[in-house]
Amino acid sequence: MNEASLKGLPPRRPGESAALPDGPRWYGMGCQWRCGLLLLVVLAADGCARDIPQVEPETATRSAVILIPGYYGTRLIRIADGKLLWLSAGQAFGGGEPLTLPLADLGLEGSRLRPDGILRRISVLPGLYDIEAYDTILNTFHEAGLTAVALDYDWRGDLMVPVARLHDAITGLQRAGIERIALVAHSMGGLIASYYLRYGVQDPDSAVETWAGAARVTATVLAGVPFGGSMTTFRNMTYGRPIGFNKTLLNFEAVSSFPASYYILPYADSDRLLAEDGTERRGLIGDSRNWSRYRWGLLREKGARAPGIADRRWAYIDTWLKRARRFHDLLQAPSIGGQPTTAPLLSVAGRGQATLASGYFDEGQTGPASIRFNEDALPSSVRERGASVSQDGDGTVTAASSAVPAAFLERFAVTRRIYEAEHSALVSDREIRRDIREFVATALTSEHACTGTPRRPAALGQGAEPITARH
């Protein structure tokens, strides 16, 4: 069985992945746009030959892989006219409107958008030069004879929307006769997958551990997941996130209007800022009172402090900070019991990249002046203490933040791979893709047909060594 035979899924051309109908579908590049262009070009030419693990045809007809991309991961089009607002190569040179959510009661204007498939590739020079985003990882599974389904969703919204979308995708596949399902989740997509595995579609306000989602899934891959959040998100909510030369699409107000942004803010031990004396101030970002006091995010501009607007914006910030904290508390909570399973889970993380992990906090200032993220901006008093705003990681998620919560280590048979690679390479580098494909193919079939001796991931606790991904 291929995608064309799945109920509710449109037929596809050879080499094309299935797209879930009418629903949320991508991921987010961890480096700046200009760096990403160069990186993806290099990745496309990299890698060595190795035989592809093939899944037996009989098993392939009963198996499927669901790819769950992360922040930035879906094309977004304007509902009114179908115009693509995220993302085209031309937008890197300017133009376009901010992706701000239209929230009239907060004084925020924006177009109503909807997802329009995962970001597969971007045509830089039509007919001559394309950049692949998620195309490569999807094709990796097709080469192994597997059905690959891409989960699209509006990456700006509440993460519980794609959690429900994931459940619908899984139940739909099962009704179509699919017996074995593997999840491959990247970045924020890994938060979506992890929550679903442990709590199903329960709302965070009342959720209790059931592992209901895990009962429906054969294997899981979590790549570059910000379990501890990412300081990069707080920086982007303070200064905006340029896309090449374009500072409009993701200006600070747009990023701060996204509920998803609050889910990937620094959490718990990752919520730390450096004070003038070089000591750490913890928990400032997670406290909504500080967003009002220091005019962060939606409260930055003078107009945001107009009567009524300021109160409603603060309430919005407070709501999403609390909901995100509850979401992460549930992921990090000790397991309430139950028998461990042999279900395989592969954790993929990157290292070797300077990754933003803190910022210099000046409590005498407000707005952007209160937080600086450049090493050069640190006062000498801070530098003399050896303090730094960076830690080791993949350039977006620190190594500490990517650690899999203890409850998942207890529940699943966990394999861990650490690569010398940046965030986007964790699903685009050729060798890493091969390892992911091999893990999935092994999990979905008892017969692993492969010529030669491919590398096997070392099991957690069995001396797993970092591996350098060439790119």
Side-chain angles (χ1 to χ4, degrees), residues 32 34 91-99 239-255:
Q32 292 292 333
R34 283 162 285 186
Q91 289 174 318
F93 300 98
E97 65 179 76
L99 299 183
Y239 290 97
R241 203 282 200 188
I243 302 297
F245 301 103
N246 192 326
K247 297 182 180 181
T248 299
L249 286 175
L250 294 175
N251 62 38
F252 80 92
E253 193 170 71
V255 178

Side-chain angles (χ1 to χ4, degrees), residues 274-279 360-361 372 375-388:
L274 296 172
E276 188 173 1
D277 61 1
T279 60
Y360 169 62
F361 172 58
R372 285 173 278 176
E375 296 283 0
D376 294 342
L378 295 180
S380 57
S381 59
V382 176
R383 290 197 297 269
E384 288 169 0
R385 295 175 63 96
S388 173

Side-chain angles (χ1 to χ4, degrees), residues 273-294:
L273 298 172
L274 296 172
E276 188 173 1
D277 61 1
T279 60
E280 291 184 350
R281 299 282 300 276
R282 295 181 177 269
L284 294 176
I285 299 171
D287 187 339
S288 61
R289 294 171 297 181
N290 293 321
W291 292 68
S292 177
R293 182 178 299 122
Y294 300 109

Side-chain angles (χ1 to χ4, degrees), residues 69-88:
Y71 202 79
Y72 305 135
T74 301
R75 288 162 43 97
L76 298 175
I77 63 173
R78 191 160 53 202
I79 293 175
D81 57 8
K83 181 180 179 180
L84 178 66
L85 295 189
W86 179 269
L87 176 69
S88 68

Side-chain angles (χ1 to χ4, degrees), residues 38-47 130 132 136 428 430 433:
L38 177 60
L39 172 68
L40 287 169
V41 172
V42 175
L43 290 178
D46 181 49
D130 291 345
E132 293 186 346
T136 52
S428 62
R430 182 169 298 189
R433 284 189 287 114

Side-chain angles (χ1 to χ4, degrees), residues 22-42:
D22 303 323
R25 320 187 226 242
W26 111 244
Y27 142 72
M29 289 177 285
C31 62
Q32 292 292 333
W33 179 261
R34 283 162 285 186
C35 299
L37 295 180
L38 177 60
L39 172 68
L40 287 169
V41 172
V42 175

